[in-house]
Amino acid sequence: MKNTKRNILRTKAFEERQLVSLQKKAAKPSGSTYFLVLLVIIALVNIIDEVTSNLSVSVQSSFVTEFFVNNPFLGKYYTFEEGLSLHTSVSIISYVLGAITPFYKALADKWGRKPLFAISTLGMGVGLLIIYFSPNYLVFLLGYAVIGFFFGHDIQIIYILEEAPDKFRAAIYSVLKALGIFGVVCIPLLRDALMGDDASLWRRIFLVPAVAGIIAALLVVIFTKDTKVFIAERTAYLSVPFEERQERKLREKQEKKAQRNQSGVFNAVKYIFSNKDTKSLIISHIIFDAGMPAIALYYESSMHIAGMSTSDITKSMFVLPIVYATLTLFSGFIADTIGRKKLIVGAGVLSITGFILFAVGINNLWNPYLIGGFCGLYQGCYWIGRDYMNIMMTEKVPTDIRASVVGAEGLLVIIGLAVGYLLAIVGMLALPVWLTCLLIAVPCVGVSVVMLGFKVKETKGVNLDSIN
């Protein structure tokens, strides 16, 4: 009883201090250049996010060869396919953290967007630094897990959605996203400058982005503010007397009603499945994400197995982000013109087409730049489709639970990821990597976009403040 009262008093004191702080922030003008500064910082973090999510994949064949093929792991040497399958199996442990991530993200609905923005950016830098210093696979796996927890935080997406004008929301998002993807060109530049044709030097490429992540986190702390939407909504909520809010919570709990006007992952999950439209969207997203491992994680290993040299793989990686970023740049303007739903369906079809051409290209050792173009096509279209599924979800839910819904969505799609990983682990032991990925990705992407096209309503132009 004493602990309960103490916790209530602490919560009350925290919320009172937060209310005063938010009122001061609301009264203080942002300045004419703030939005531009915010966009620059978001663009920088997007670059770090994209580089972080692609860095370990870009040297996958190198560390698999070092940790499993050239050196014994748990007293045994492995073939490349066995080592890659084992790494996939073991790295799934890092996705157990995905069950915690939504609860972490939901804190943005209580603490604010800025603290989570800074912490997540710093976390990416720290994870990369751990991998840079990793003497063995276990330490590498620790860094891999830290990155897995932080890189998909999506707080910068909430910043864009809540600060950008409704009419140009998708366009601004796509421009910033495209700039981030263009930044992935840093990876082949780092490979070319620090690895050359020596795959054993793969650790070197992790240091520069690690330092950049730490610097970006400091910039977030110094120059950014919480979003106007969060400040307004949270201030309105906290302006209601604490006792009245406590009574309302108790009454709603006793009546076993869904607390849609409160933040929290479990309430967000209830909200998603209580609405036919969001329910259809999340099911489509889960199926879509079952294809993610096959789409995103094994392209470098597929090129390696097909006989491409380290330098040719690097050449293909110069083209990959350019094609990917160009597609992303135009996607926002297309989404604001024809709608999010049509864009997702079209992107799904192009992703399947690009993947088939990539598989044919590597097996016939086509020009590495052409192979990189096909790789950029199928990956870019896949991630465009996935990103706009996320955007559609944020455009269907109220502000006071938006970050919680983003977190809940991240938790639910782990179901699809788990299925995708399991299929990849088993498939690679019997089939070539590229064929395993093709047989997983094509049906997952195809079924998902067909379901979304027929079952989910469009969200183009919706006013986020008007959602109840």
Side-chain angles (χ1 to χ4, degrees), residues 14 21 29 99 109 111 125 127 153 174 176 195 265 286 293 319 327 337 340 364-365 400 417 427 430:
F14 167 77
S21 176
D109 285 332
W111 292 359
H153 54 78
S174 66
L176 291 172
M195 286 178 59
V265 174
I286 290 171
V319 182
L327 292 169
T337 302
R340 283 71 161 127
N364 289 278
L365 295 179
D400 57 349
L417 278 173

Side-chain angles (χ1 to χ4, degrees), residues 41-99:
I41 292 175
I42 290 175
L44 175 61
V45 174
N46 270 341
I47 291 174
I48 295 168
D49 188 292
E50 292 292 339
V51 170
T52 300
S53 62
N54 286 280
L55 206 56
S56 60
V57 178
S58 72
V59 290
Q60 188 179 74
S61 65
S62 301
F63 68 74
V64 167
T65 299
E66 177 180 328
F67 292 136
F68 300 105
V69 180
N70 293 342
N71 294 285
F73 180 70
L74 299 179
K76 179 183 176 181
Y77 287 92
Y78 298 83
T79 65
F80 181 85
E81 290 79 5
E82 290 173 340
L84 183 57
S85 179
L86 179 59
H87 166 67
T88 301
S89 303
V90 175
S91 64
I92 289 179
I93 296 174
S94 67
Y95 284 91
V96 174
L97 294 173

Side-chain angles (χ1 to χ4, degrees), residues 248-275 398 400-401 405 468:
R248 185 169 62 188
K249 286 181 182 179
L250 180 60
R251 184 170 61 253
E252 289 173 346
K253 183 178 180 180
Q254 291 172 340
E255 294 172 356
K256 295 183 180 180
K257 292 182 178 179
Q259 302 173 24
R260 295 184 185 180
N261 63 328
Q262 305 294 328
S263 61
V265 174
F266 293 117
N267 290 327
V269 172
K270 291 179 183 178
Y271 182 88
I272 290 172
F273 282 98
S274 67
N275 182 290
D400 57 349
I401 63 168
V405 167
N468 297 315

Side-chain angles (χ1 to χ4, degrees), residues 287-432:
I287 297 172
F288 200 77
D289 270 30
M292 184 195 293
I295 289 282
L297 298 183
Y298 304 110
Y299 64 92
E300 194 265 353
S301 288
S302 296
M303 290 188 277
H304 172 74
I305 288 296
M308 292 178 64
S309 67
T310 300
S311 59
D312 277 349
I313 293 174
T314 299
K315 290 177 184 177
S316 71
M317 288 184 181
F318 276 107
V319 182
L320 191 162
I322 294 174
V323 174
Y324 183 174
T326 302
L327 292 169
T328 303
L329 178 63
F330 289 104
S331 67
F333 298 94
I334 296 171
D336 280 336
T337 302
I338 68 173
R340 283 71 161 127
K341 189 166 70 170
K342 290 180 180 178
L343 174 68
I344 294 171
V345 173
V349 173
L350 286 175
S351 180
I352 292 172
T353 303
F355 204 163
I356 294 172
L357 291 172
F358 169 77
V360 174
I362 61 173
N363 281 286
N364 289 278
L365 295 179
W366 288 353
N367 184 286
Y369 295 109
L370 183 61
I371 291 173
F374 291 140
C375 192
L377 175 64
Y378 84 75
Q379 287 200 38
C381 288
Y382 177 85
W383 287 108
I384 286 169
R386 188 178 190 275
D387 285 346
Y388 280 91
M389 286 184 180
N390 289 331
I391 288 176
M392 288 188 76
M393 185 65 79
T394 63
E395 291 178 335
K396 289 178 179 290
V397 300
T399 299
D400 57 349
I401 63 168
R402 187 166 295 127
S404 299
V405 167
V406 170
E409 186 178 19
L411 177 63
L412 292 168
V413 297
I414 290 176
I415 298 170
L417 278 173
V419 173
Y421 272 108
L422 180 61
L423 292 173
I425 291 167
V426 175
M428 283 187 291
L429 295 176
L431 300 171

